[in-house]
Each structure stands twice: as structure tokens, then as C-alpha cells.
Amino acid sequence: MQKIKVGIIGTGYIGVSHIEAVRRIGFLELLAVADANQALAQKKAKEFFIPRCYSSLEEMLADPDIQVIHNCTPNNLHFDINKKIIQAGKHVFSEKPLARDSHESGALVALLQAWPQTVAAVNFNYRMNPLVQEMRQRIAAGSLGKVNLVHGSYLQDWLLFDTDYNWRLEPEIAGVSRCIADIGSHWMDAVQHLTGARITAVCADLLTVIPVRKKPAGQVETFSVAHSDAWEEHQITTEDYGAVLFKMDNGAHGVFCASEVSAGHGCYIDIEINGSQATLKWNQETADQLWMGFRDQDNHLVMRDPHSMSPEARALSYLAKGHPEGWNDAFKNNIASFYQYLAAGKKLQTDQPDFATFADADYIVQLTEAIVQSSKTRQWVEL
Ligand SMILES: NC(=O)c1ccc[n+]([C@@H]2O[C@H](COP(=O)([O-])OP(=O)(O)OC[C@H]3O[C@@H](n4cnc5c(N)ncnc54)[C@H](O)[C@@H]3O)[C@@H](O)[C@H]2O)c1
């Protein structure tokens, strides 16, 4: 078997995680990186010994050896870059959200109809934590009974101060939603994946906690702190926080909140599923543990252990118990899932993948828009 040859466009915060993940998968060859910031792309190419380095998408598309491109650019470029990758006859692994709005994401789904050989995925990586898969298998096997309630949160603090700044605060780049599109989208995707059900109605309350921020003169890397004395006041129109009541098509009701201004929280994703017989609860900051609760017997902690998990979860787990697996491992699992699918010659029209498809991600964009609409109109919105 020939190695699959990969290019990565966007070598900022998440681009580096893609470089490292691709390098961990034996049957891939990371051939090139590209970034509009050519100095950055060159620095990463040198640091990681990546043989080819480009300063634009066009240069990367023109490289006939590259079979798959990872799109790790800001949200406003997802539509155009994903479209051009598909039209160049290459496969695409895109960062989330799929696009800034559902016109763009729907157009990408439609475009794929004309490219049936193309495999396209969106990086909703929390699906591929072994214990998220374990939850999925236990729910499908009926271990919880009927799923009644689904709740949790995704909390961060990296935008807590008015001096915190990033392109995500600008709707022309990020889209009309920020906190929900950026991190609530991950929570919704994980919950829909592990329950096997869709969120079909939402009632939301969105809040901009910091309406004016200090925009620094230079570019600020994601999750870093601006150290600039030169700044200008910038009006913020997207949400720092969102709370969402929802209903699912399996009859379950739920609620989640997402925040980028909750001090002390880095990547606090907790998901709790209350069934008619038992509860499952998982938090990505303690990713190796799954809590199972009962009314009529002792609660217990399920520790990640390749020997005792379901085959589907075991397939995503590599280390013996007691050796923590976490965010990087799940991230790599999601990328590996895409490439295993591609290498097996599977097609999206006929083979249901475990990774998020463009259609899945388009639905998340629609949900995000429904949440924004609901908060504005103070009404439930159905999909
Ligand atoms: N899956 C996850 O957990 C996760 C985590 C973080 C970010 N993301 C997603 O990844 C994307 C990038 O986020 P980030 O935090 O890495 O941003 P970033 O600003 O750190 O990096 C983006 C990079 O894209 C480059 N770029 C901008 N315009 C370009 C162009 N026209 N051509 C080529 N390169 C260009 C920038 O120079 C920068 O290096 C976003 O869509 C974000 O939602 C996903």
C-alpha cells in the first residue's frame, strides 16, 4: 500500500495539532504545509521537517502529489477553500464549523453530490474519545434504558478579560455566532453522535458579557494573551455565553450552556445522559473516566481499560489503563478514522462513517443559526 500524501493549509494553533496527528498515523505522508503567513509556514515546515511549503491554496492545489488537504484556516475561508479542494479532485478534512452560515455549508453539501468519489470530513474530534464511544455503545445496547434527559456544558475562560482578542470576535470572519459556533457546536455534535439522535428544537438565551473589547494592533494567536500597548475599542456583537434548552427526535429533552468567560475553565466539556435505568456522565478534562449512576445499586467509575471496553471503544484506545489518554489522542483518532475510511475505498453515499460528514456539520450550522434566531425572537425554533 502506498502512503496517502497529505497537505495542511493553515499552520496556526490547530494546524500544528493536525501536523502532529498526521505524523502519528503510519500510512500517511505529510508532504506540504501552506499559510498566508509565509514566514509561519516556513517555520513550521523547518521545525517538523515537512518537505514542501506553500504560501497559498492555489500553489498547494497545483501540487499533483497531494491527495488530501486539511483546511485549518479561520471560518471565513472554510467555504471557499473547501470548495476549491473538492473541485481540484482532492479529498478534504475541514476544521469546524463547516462554514460561517448555512448558505455556505448547504452549498458545500450540494457540491459534494457532483463529486461522489470525494471523501469529506469535518473535525468534530470529541466523538473519538474512547469513553465517548463507550457511552455510545452502552446507550445503543440499552444499558441506560430509555434516554430521557441530556445535559451539560462547554466552559472556557480564554476571553474573560476585555483585553482578550482573536479573529473569532469578528462576525465577518467567524460568522454570526461565536461561542455556540466555536464550542457549543462540539458539544452538540458529541451529544447527537453518542445518543444517535438529533436536536430538533431549541430555545436559547445568548449574552455578550463584554460588549466592548480592546483590539490590539497586531495578530493574536488563539488562546494566547495580547501584550500590545496599542489597541482600539471594538464593539462586540456575538455571544460570550449561550444557554440552550432543546428537544431531540428520540423524545429526550435537554439543556446545555457554553461560555468563553468562565474563570478557571480551559476545556470543560461535560455530558450527562439520564436514562430510565441509569446515568452516564463524562467530562473531557478527566477523559479516562466515565461515571455511571444508579438509584438501586452502587454508582461506579468506569476507567478506560482496553480489556474491558466495547470493541468499538477499544479500537480507539492504545495505552494500558492508568496511562492517561486525552485530547491529542482523540484528535488523532478522528483523523485516523477519516484516513482508514479513505484507504478502505469507502464512499459517503453508501458507507456511514464514524467521523462527521459535511451533511452532519451543515446540520450543526443550521442548529447554530436556530439558536441565534431563538435568542433574538425569545421563542422556540424548530428544525
Ligand atoms: N477541532 C478543534 O478542536 C479546533 C480547535 C481550535 C480551532 N479549530 C478551528 O480551526 C480553525 C483555525 O483556528 P485556529 O485557532 O488555528 O486559528 P489561527 O488564527 O491560530 O490559525 C489560522 C491560520 O490560518 C492562516 N490563514 C489565514 N488566511 C489564510 C489564507 N488565505 N490561506 C492560508 N492560510 C491562511 C493564518 O495565517 C493562521 O496561521 C478555525 O476554524 C477553528 O474553529 C478547531
Side-chain angles (χ1 to χ4, degrees), residues 75 78-80 83 98-112 175-176 358 361-370:
N75 303 357
H78 289 185
F79 171 68
D80 195 47
K83 183 175 81 170
L98 176 55
R100 278 176 304 185
D101 60 47
S102 59
H103 295 293
E104 292 182 347
S105 59
L108 288 171
V109 173
L111 175 67
L112 276 177
V176 289
F358 274 26
D362 171 47
Y363 192 70
I364 297 284
V365 175
Q366 291 179 44
L367 274 173
T368 302
E369 287 179 342

Side-chain angles (χ1 to χ4, degrees), residues 21-33:
V22 166
R23 278 281 166 80
R24 286 177 67 186
I25 300 167
F27 62 101
L28 306 184
E29 182 178 346
L30 180 52
L31 208 56
V33 284

Side-chain angles (χ1 to χ4, degrees), residues 300-366:
H300 57 254
L301 267 187
V302 179
M303 302 301 291
R304 185 193 55 75
D305 180 353
H307 296 298
S308 59
M309 295 188 299
S310 62
E312 292 81 2
R314 197 181 310 140
L316 300 176
S317 187
Y318 300 89
L319 299 175
K321 69 176 173 184
H323 302 73
E325 287 184 358
W327 190 90
N328 264 328
D329 303 289
F331 195 89
K332 189 266 289 178
N333 286 340
N334 197 36
I335 292 178
S337 160
F338 169 80
Y339 281 103
Q340 283 153 3
Y341 185 94
L342 189 61
K346 294 184 178 175
K347 297 283 171 288
L348 291 169
Q349 292 71 19
T350 46
D351 307 297
Q352 177 67 35
D354 280 337
F355 56 79
T357 62
F358 274 26
D360 295 333
D362 171 47
Y363 192 70
I364 297 284
V365 175
Q366 291 179 44

Side-chain angles (χ1 to χ4, degrees), residues 27 36 62 99 117 156 167 195 198 246 267 366:
F27 62 101
Q117 305 304 316
Q156 299 183 328
W167 56 258
T195 57
R198 277 191 161 198
F246 61 86
C267 192
Q366 291 179 44

